[in-house]
Every structure is written in C-alpha cells, then in structure tokens.
Amino acid sequence: MRFPLLSLCALAVLSAISPGADRASKPNVLVILADDQGWGDTSLNGNTNLSTPNVEALARAGAMLDHFYVCPVCSPTRAEFLTGRYYPRGGVRDVSTGQERLNPDEKTIADTFKAAGYATGAFGKWHNGSQWPFHPNARGFGEYYGFTSGHWGEYFDPPLEHNGEFVRGKGYIADDLANHAMDFMEKNKDHPFFCYLPFNTPHSPYCVPDEYWDRFKNKDITMRGSLGEKEDLPVTRCALAMCENLDWNVGRVLHRLDELHLSENTIVVYFSDNGPASRRWNGGMRGIKGSTDEGGVREPFVIRWPGKIKPGTKLTEIASDIDLLPTLAKLADVPIASTKPLDGVDLSPLLLGATTQWPDRLIFTTFRGPISVRSQKYRLDSKGALYDMEADPGQEKDIARDQPEMAAKLSQAVAAWRKDVFGPDEQTHDDRPFTVGYREFPMTPLPARDGVPHGGVKRSSRAPNSSYFVNWKTTDDTITWDVEVNTPGDYEAAIYYTCPTADAGATVELSLNGSKTNGKVSPGWDPPLIDGQDRVPRKEESIMKEFHPLRLGNFHLEHGRGLLTLRALDIPGHSVMDVRMVTLTLKPAQ
C-alpha cells in the first residue's frame, strides 16, 4: 500500500482550513532517524535497485543537504544529535557494555524543547543508556516507547518498553514504532510537539515482512557494491527491502501529519546514523559502517518546512549531526537549554536562503581511535592521506605529497581537536558503574549486556547488546554487574530466565555488599527459540526466546558501589538457567 504524496498546493489548502497550522504558532518538529542506512540506500541518491518515493518527496518539498556527516556507528551519532556536541565530550565511548551512555550533565535537544513548553516523545532505538538517569525519560522525553539497547534480536511482536514498563509490540518493529509516533502526534495535535522517531532498520538482523521480501528475494541487483561479484547479495536484497519498508513508514507518518492538518507547521527531518553495514552500492565512496572514511559517515539528509524552506533546495555545504540542535532550536525560536559550548553551528541561514556566503569549516570523525577530518574540499584520513573530495570522491589518490601544507594544516587541526575533545589524559575505557535505585524510576534493568560472565558462563552471541548468559553449570560460575545504589532501601529482585524442566530446582543467590536474597529456579521454563524470521542467517545477534521472571525475596541495599553477584548455591540438574536480565525495583518508602 502506498500513501499519496501531497503537493505543496494541497499543503497550502490544509494550512488555510486548519487552525493547528497557524504560522504564528510554534512549529512542531519531527525527526526521523534510520539505522545503518547508507548514503546510497535510497533512490534519492540515484540507487535504482530500490524505490524510496517518500524520502524523495521530502527532498522535493524542502531541502537536501548533499554533504551531511555523522559518526561511523550508532550511539555516537545519537549522542551528537541529542547534544550538538562531539560525542566523546558526553562520555560516550562505544556502543555497548555501558560505553554508550551519555553523561547525565549533558542537556539534550529534548530538554531544549521541553523547557520551551513542547510535548516530547521518542519512539524507537535509544542506545545512550538504559538505567536512570541515562534513560530517555530522564533526558527530556516525556514519552518513550522502544528499546534502549543497540542491536535487537526480535523484529516481529518484539519485547519493548513503555516509560519503563515492559510491553510487547505488535507486528513488524518499524511499523509498530511508527504507529506509536503517530499516536503521540495525534494526542498532541493542539499543542507543539517534538517527536523523535529513531528506527532500528535496516540494521541487522535481516528481517522484513513478506510483502517486501517477496519483491527483493530474487531481484536482479544491477548497481553493485565495492566487492563486485563477491557482494553478499542476500544481505543487500534484505537491507534494501527493509529500506523500502522504512520509506513506507515515512509515508505513513507524513500522511498522518496531513490528516491532522499539521504538515504546514511541522519541521520534518530525515537522516541516518552511519554508513551501510555491508559492501552494497554507496556511490563509489570508500568505507562502510565503522569507518571514518567518506562512505562510513556521509548520509542522506532532507528537511521540510513548507512556506519557510524553499522546495527543491539542494545545499552542497558540509554539515553534521552536531548542527541539528542549534539549527532546529533557531528555526523553532526556542532557547537552547545547554550551558555547555556547542560544536555544531546553526544552518538556518542556509536553509532559509538568507545567505549564499558560508565560511569553510572542519568536521571531525572518530571511533575507537582513528580520526578523520573533512573540509569543504578535502578529507585527511586517519592515516594521514589527503584527498581532494571534489575531484576524487572515492578517495583513490593520496595528494599529501603534492599539497604538504594542506596536509600539515589538517594534521595539526586533528591533533588540536583530539586534545580538546579527549583531554590530555585520553581515556578509551569507561569505568562508570551502572546506576540503581531512583524514586523517579523505581525499576532498574540490568541486562546481560551490562553484566560480566565468570567461570564457564558465556554470552549467547558475540554482540553483547543482544545477548543472554548461557552455559551456567557449576557453583563456581558467577555473573556480576558493577552497580552503584543511589537510594538506600528495600528492593525486589527478579531474574529473567529460561531453564529446561529437567534442570529446574537450582538455588540461586543475588548479593551486593553483604546483602543477600535467594530463590529456587522454578518452574522449568524452556520456550522454543524464536526462529524463522531471518531472511539471512544472523551473525551477531542471538536468536531470542521468551524469558520468564523469577521473583526472588526482597533485600535491603545501602547507598554505594559494589559488585552485584549472581551465583548458584546448589545445582541438582545439568545446568542452572539462561539469564537475560536482572531487575532491581526500589520499594516505596514506609
């Protein structure tokens, strides 16, 4: 099913009949973020392997930023969008095991709009912390529905959360997230809103509804990636099918804005968080997800605001995710909540056609050590090679020897930036504990992602973000979480587990700084693996299953840091259980 793409004339008619589209009122803001969709993964940029008419329509009705840059991976980009600052400044170091958390003293774009009286909601993949005060409800979002991790293992009827309560989604995950975003917009149609819709597709695992897979499973892929005949075509086909589903959901959300008579007074932004996760067609650029080269960080970007941004605008000036907070705040005429200096710049003069003179600038990209820098004309890569990106967009010819002064200038800029952003004592490891026990958010999830296995215990997959603990067989085995209790009090503990019926009955103990509680692993709970959803066998995410809560007794925890330790006191069967998560819920004060 396709949704009609309204013309600007139709939008004008809607505006004229709708009091909600009053030009004098504060504009709504809708930010749509794709996950692992590269610059080449839309028909907007010339890929004829697929069709993304709704993203194209956004560009025709607004502005396209042709050289827009993000980070090489997911959580850093999200942190930069949220804060307008380079992600290491906010404590983000990586994508999992706590390294993805954004420092609580950073004010987010949601804080900015909430302070200005906006209703704020986020619907999808958060990936900047799961526990309070890192949770989206603590970061300016009054409404949250989605998952706070990175990888996610279930894409159909997925386990999600709604404002800290565990729920089950309905249908395909992208469709479900869009549904909730649309409900939020409808609920707030008479009030200015800031709606953040961070999808988790086309990120792996490669799962997509039949309607889309049937169009692609045997499709001839004519535009090929850098591996040529060695390209993983099943991955390409499924990723592109997921992109078409993503575009369909963009169309649905835009159509709902039309139905609510809000299109004329809503700023809509669409972009993605990093380059493609496989070597499919990406305009001949070097690098994919994880790379600081052009192909790893250049993304599609479009923004629409009828009557304000001239339709069909195409800007070639370089821009970045760090620019979105200052730009959107300026367009909406709201004060920025953060008192920390921003790295991003306000792009509104370019978008509104107020200037054609724009100074050159430098945009820096880093992940796990390597740093690359992009000016309007040049890119200095992480190894010191210099490229003229206008003449050589594929980064094929190093011109550092031909232009030593430019290479030296950019190299010096990288050194200065590294010192400024990371500080003189650059640390790549995050040793912050996981925070537990806040009255504002009594239930604290401690997923396997954030724990450490000891002895024979292992993760179910390579990627911690979507894993559970397996192979727990001896009383010497333990699982620990480095936690810090904020509020002293009584806590209810639960373990989300599975266990074959024949192995049920082990006694387990959960302890922290001398406080203990225990219980028996009963009843047996051995659900089947949720298999058969993948179009391509998954490599990083675990094949998931339904985990059951095992309620332990209450125990008292004092304020302070320590190792929350889960161990078995006796094991009557072959194994203890598989563990997806521990939760600690602060009980009401007496």
Side-chain angles (χ1 to χ4, degrees), residues 54-127:
N54 293 294
V55 173
E56 287 191 54
L58 269 180
R60 287 196 302 271
M64 172 181 172
L65 274 61
D66 194 41
H67 290 84
F68 184 82
Y69 297 96
V70 295
C71 300
V73 290
C74 308
S75 49
T77 292
R78 285 160 170 74
E80 294 192 351
F81 157 68
L82 289 170
T83 65
R85 290 158 51 82
Y86 285 115
Y87 75 89
R89 297 193 194 278
V92 174
R93 292 289 182 268
D94 214 297
V95 297
S96 191
T97 63
Q99 312 282 310
E100 77 284 2
R101 290 174 293 174
L102 178 65
N103 283 338
D105 64 352
E106 295 285 339
K107 292 291 186 180
T108 72
I109 193 169
D111 290 320
T112 284
F113 280 88
K114 183 178 181 180
Y118 278 64
T120 55
F123 306 91
K125 171 177 169 175
W126 174 246
H127 208 182

Side-chain angles (χ1 to χ4, degrees), residues 419-440:
K419 184 176 180 180
D420 175 43
V421 171
F422 289 97
D425 301 319
E426 182 175 335
Q427 295 184 1
T428 57
H429 182 69
D430 182 356
D431 65 352
R432 292 172 294 177
F434 295 97
T435 46
V436 170
Y438 286 77
R439 291 291 178 197
E440 305 96 317

Side-chain angles (χ1 to χ4, degrees), residues 436-514:
V436 170
Y438 286 77
R439 291 291 178 197
E440 305 96 317
F441 207 76
M443 190 277 291
T444 300
L446 295 167
R449 176 195 68 233
D450 297 336
V452 179
H454 305 274
V457 181
K458 301 176 181 178
R459 291 194 185 277
S460 57
S461 67
R462 181 176 63 181
N465 269 322
S466 180
S467 69
Y468 45 93
F469 290 123
V470 300
N471 202 51
W472 186 3
K473 296 183 178 181
T474 77
T475 55
D476 293 327
D477 297 339
T478 60
I479 304 167
T480 61
W481 288 262
D482 181 5
V483 303
E484 184 170 48
V485 177
N486 178 70
T487 305
D490 293 330
Y491 287 77
E492 178 185 54
I495 305 169
Y496 284 74
Y497 80 102
T498 65
C499 176
T501 301
D503 287 344
T507 302
V508 295
E509 175 189 85
L510 190 66
S511 63
L512 175 63
N513 293 338

